[in-house]
Amino acid sequence: AQKITQTQPGMFVQEKEAVTLDCTYDTSDPSYGLFWYKQPSSGEMIFLIYQGSYDQQNATEGRYSLNFQKARKSANLVISASQLGDSAMYFCAMREEGSYIPTFGRGTSLIVHP
Amino acid sequence: DSGVTQTPKHLITATGQRVTLRCSPRSGDLSVYWYQQSLDQGLQFLIQYYNGEERAKGNILERFSAQQFPDLHSELNLSSLELGDSALYFCASSPRPQGTAKNIQYFGAGTRLSVL
């Protein structure tokens, strides 16, 4: 069963607009962590933001915020004030407590238009 | 810069050959992970080491092997290469082998392998 689902294969956004990238997950473990990574065309995987399942507040890192809805098992990434350099693939991942390996989604391609 | 160093950045070789990919983890990280990313398979976990010992194995072919050395750097050996092995190979490191809180994986820039 797929543990991480990213339903949007591709997204387009106008520069300076906000965009939300969807991620839903499946786990019965009460303790887990959620991660978002960015992969630009150059190939490297860049860690963006982390949310723990017990964190009371949504995580934020600069222009990135994570809209964490635990009951719905969703962990959407919100990018505010999009920039051309935000064009990349974005991967959502989850690691359950006690698990060695996180599970990655298939990714969402984001294109920012000028 | 994630602090994880992978060499070489690009590798072009022929079918049947053997190559070695190298990874130096972030300072202080004891756990190293190897991933393969291809267009059709997405990001596939291969193998994990923690402080020199193998901790988890994923979809790693028998033709592939890895090890982590006492200085914590790791090498991924790919042998009898096939066209389908062409992919981007990532190394990642984290402080601990498992857990969630603040045990974030940081990735290297990857080694792009082309098998001709």
Side-chain angles (χ1 to χ4, degrees):
Chain A
Q2 192 123 14
K3 286 195 170 185
I4 294 285
T5 304
Q6 294 182 253
T7 56
Q8 309 151 313
M11 289 285 285
F12 297 86
V13 66
Q14 199 80 23
E15 197 178 5
K16 299 179 187 173
E17 298 289 311
V19 63
T20 298
L21 306 183
D22 294 342
C23 172
T24 57
Y25 58 92
D26 183 26
T27 181
S28 55
D29 195 325
S31 180
Y32 51 89
L34 297 155
F35 310 79
W36 277 91
Y37 289 87
K38 171 185 178 182
Q39 186 177 34
S41 58
S42 51
E44 70 269 34
M45 291 280 279
I46 303 165
F47 166 72
L48 294 178
I49 196 166
Y50 164 83
Q51 178 86 44
S53 59
Y54 292 119
D55 292 345
Q56 295 295 314
Q57 295 195 331
N58 287 343
T60 60
E61 290 286 349
R63 294 185 299 109
Y64 304 109
S65 60
L66 204 151
N67 184 1
F68 180 44
Q69 298 187 46
K70 197 169 181 176
R72 297 179 64 182
K73 293 187 177 178
S74 76
N76 298 339
L77 177 70
V78 180
I79 306 175
S80 62
S82 297
Q83 301 172 356
L84 296 179
D86 293 334
S87 295
M89 283 290 289
Y90 288 81
F91 292 91
C92 178
M94 175 186 66
R95 193 213 297 253
E96 294 153 322
E97 185 77 39
S99 172
Y100 292 115
I101 309 304
T103 303
F104 284 81
R106 297 285 294 188
T108 294
S109 173
L110 175 67
I111 296 176
V112 180
H113 288 299
Chain B
D1 185 358
S2 67
V4 179
T5 304
Q6 284 190 252
T7 57
K9 282 189 167 40
H10 301 276
L11 203 47
I12 301 174
T13 188
T15 54
Q17 295 298 304
R18 172 189 167 96
V19 297
T20 298
L21 281 52
R22 183 187 168 103
C23 169
S24 293
R26 290 189 327 150
S27 177
D29 284 358
L30 299 177
S31 198
V32 168
Y33 311 76
W34 286 98
Y35 291 87
Q36 179 194 57
Q37 186 182 38
S38 56
L39 282 174
D40 54 344
Q41 293 290 327
L43 196 64
Q44 298 284 315
F45 166 70
L46 296 177
I47 197 164
Q48 179 206 6
Y49 282 83
Y50 175 72
N51 205 18
E53 292 188 5
E54 182 185 305
R55 280 301 178 102
K57 221 167 185 176
N59 301 319
I60 187 166
L61 300 171
E62 284 191 14
R63 301 183 285 108
F64 296 0
S65 64
Q67 55 183 335
Q68 186 180 27
F69 295 87
D71 68 352
L72 301 177
H73 92 271
S74 178
E75 292 181 356
L76 178 67
N77 300 296
L78 315 176
S79 61
S80 302
L81 284 167
E82 302 174 0
L83 295 177
D85 297 327
S86 295
L88 189 52
Y89 290 84
F90 284 110
C91 169
S93 76
S94 69
R96 296 183 296 280
Q98 63 196 87
T100 54
K102 299 305 181 186
N103 195 28
I104 295 160
Q105 286 188 348
Y106 289 92
F107 283 74
T111 293
R112 191 170 295 277
L113 174 66
S114 298
V115 182
L116 306 178

